[in-house]
Amino acid sequence: MSDNGTFELSASDGYPEEYRLMELPADVAAALIGGQPLEVRGRETDTAVLIAGDATYQLHTAHTSNSLYLFEQHGHKLELCTKLHQMFELQSTRPQIRARVSEVLAQDARGPFRGVEFEQPGDGVDDTELRRQVQAGDRQLYRVLAEMPAFRDTATGFWRMMDPVYCIELLRLILATQVEQDWELDALDAERVHTALAAESPQLREAVEAVLHRFGASTRPGVFAMDPQRVARFLAKQIFATEGTRAWPVSEFLQALQATMPPQLLLDEHTNAWGSRRISRSLVRGLAIATTTPENDHLVYSAQGVPGALTLLLPIDASDLPQDVRARMRRLFEIKSRWSREELIPFLEELVDVDDALLGQGDEQTDAAVAKAVDTWLIKFGRGVKTPDGETVYTSRIN
């Protein structure tokens, strides 16, 4: 620095392009300063996604109208290192998890896990490979793996997706043992359950715990309370999958569910659920819509649930729909030309940037965030129409 407080500037003839600027949101910058690592995940063909804890951000290149200069100080001299015309910006995005996890686990040539007696040696997918290919934080990734369900074989370190039929068979074995041992349904100890099952036939401890985790709630480490609603929804999804997109009369669906539901797990402790003319909307939320005919566009949900008389359940699995909002809205309007706002919410809510565990649980803040996002998307992609009875339904404005 000279006496008048200025620096001497210099620059080489060529500027090496080894520097990149990235504009970070305040929370990401704070996490980085605090020592939390930032990680870019995904395949080479994916749009780059930055993972910061549970937050996910798409990386976009932003061009600037003015040049950006980076200097390096050497004593009283500033040397121009590079000149930039662009920088990286972060845009918050919802991670694309379920379909990608299924796709990655399907790379295991052994197929889904169907029991110890069917196991063959072979290589599978480990944590490193899952993190490389799935663009989500670890907490979200492992939650999806538990919901599938899938488990990590501690002997090999590889993840195995469980065959749905075997999953239900193992659940039935667990519940039969529960009756035999006179255990409480709300306090099933994973280690004791595995020990009792293994005395009769070989069972993988990790598979037993995965089933307990999938169909129960952990009350303390290794102990689970069975949840009839989780079992019923899993079975409902399998029932709908057996015949593709065929619409199911509510009474026929209930008969099929009753035939497969373990007898000691009741959907309602105070009423005969199977004789009811209604089923809870939460049972088919995000799995089906209720119509009076497959082509009917009128809402038939009521505050009490889905009425059984003259009602059909049309299977639509939200997890199979596109992850892009516009593409999902287009697909939904292809399936059904007119939707009410209440019908659409279960099929759009997972695209909102909220905690998945709070969806459909009555959390006011989560519900408000979902409602705001859906209303915005309806303005952008839908057109409101008043029916003769005063109800507002939406048609597509997507070209």
Side-chain angles (χ1 to χ4, degrees), residues 57-262:
Y57 301 89
Q58 283 190 347
L59 283 170
H60 294 282
T61 301
H63 294 272
T64 62
S65 57
N66 299 317
S67 297
L68 300 174
Y69 295 92
L70 293 182
F71 293 91
E72 185 174 357
Q73 183 175 351
H74 299 282
H76 300 299
K77 186 176 182 181
L78 291 179
E79 182 178 356
L80 179 61
C81 300
T82 191
K83 180 172 65 174
L84 302 172
H85 296 281
Q86 60 186 26
M87 60 189 296
F88 288 127
E89 290 182 338
L90 302 184
Q91 179 180 346
S92 180
T93 184
R94 291 285 291 170
Q96 319 265 318
I97 309 179
R98 290 176 177 83
R100 178 60 63 85
V101 169
S102 297
E103 185 181 330
V104 174
L105 293 183
Q107 297 170 6
D108 191 328
R110 295 170 294 178
F113 182 80
R114 296 183 296 120
V116 174
E117 63 272 29
F118 297 103
E119 276 298 87
Q120 299 290 332
D123 293 332
V125 177
D126 59 13
D127 289 275
T128 301
E129 188 62 17
L130 276 170
R131 290 191 181 105
R132 186 184 71 82
Q133 296 197 48
V134 181
Q135 297 177 305
D138 286 354
R139 190 171 71 95
Q140 296 161 317
L141 172 60
Y142 293 138
R143 178 189 295 166
V144 169
L145 286 164
E147 289 173 356
M148 296 182 73
F151 64 89
R152 184 198 293 112
D153 185 344
T154 54
T156 64
F158 295 136
W159 282 89
R160 301 301 310 279
M161 182 165 51
M162 296 182 70
D163 180 85
V165 174
Y166 170 74
C167 191
I168 291 299
E169 289 177 352
L170 184 53
L171 173 64
R172 294 189 190 284
L173 281 175
I174 291 172
L175 293 176
T177 304
Q178 172 261 326
V179 172
E180 180 182 312
Q181 300 288 335
D182 197 25
W183 293 330
E184 295 293 331
L185 274 172
D186 60 356
L188 292 180
D189 184 284
E191 194 60 45
R192 291 177 65 192
V193 171
H194 173 253
T195 300
L197 291 178
E200 300 294 330
S201 62
Q203 298 292 342
L204 200 61
R205 180 182 59 79
E206 294 89 340
V208 172
E209 187 163 348
V211 169
L212 289 171
H213 192 283
R214 175 61 180 82
F215 298 117
S218 178
T219 56
R220 58 183 187 273
V223 178
F224 299 86
M226 301 309 296
D227 186 339
Q229 182 81 352
R230 292 189 185 184
V231 177
R233 279 184 57 82
F234 185 87
L235 291 172
K237 185 170 183 175
Q238 307 311 311
I239 291 170
F240 288 142
T242 58
E243 298 189 39
T245 58
R246 177 178 82 86
W248 288 73
V250 167
S251 57
E252 183 182 343
F253 168 75
L254 283 174
Q255 289 173 2
L257 188 57
Q258 180 183 15
T260 55
M261 191 78 175

Side-chain angles (χ1 to χ4, degrees), residues 17-37:
E17 298 184 0
E18 57 187 29
Y19 296 94
R20 296 290 186 271
L21 288 182
M22 182 184 299
E23 184 176 7
L24 300 179
D27 54 342
V28 177
L32 184 62
I33 294 172
Q36 178 178 298

Side-chain angles (χ1 to χ4, degrees), residues 4-22:
N4 61 6
T6 60
F7 282 95
E8 178 185 349
L9 301 180
S10 67
S12 58
D13 294 335
Y15 308 130
E17 298 184 0
E18 57 187 29
Y19 296 94
R20 296 290 186 271
L21 288 182
M22 182 184 299

Side-chain angles (χ1 to χ4, degrees), residues 345-377:
I345 284 177
F347 298 97
L348 296 174
E349 60 188 6
E350 68 176 15
L351 301 182
V352 184
D353 189 16
V354 294
D355 188 342
D356 290 347
L358 298 178
L359 291 174
Q361 301 301 311
D363 181 77
E364 292 185 3
Q365 186 173 355
T366 300
D367 291 347
V370 169
K372 181 178 179 180
V374 171
D375 287 342
T376 300
W377 296 335

Side-chain angles (χ1 to χ4, degrees), residues 274-295:
W274 311 121
S276 173
R277 300 302 293 168
R278 297 182 182 275
I279 58 174
S280 168
R281 277 195 289 176
S282 62
L283 179 58
V284 293
R285 184 182 184 88
L287 297 177
I289 57 172
T291 63
T292 50
T293 71
E295 295 80 24

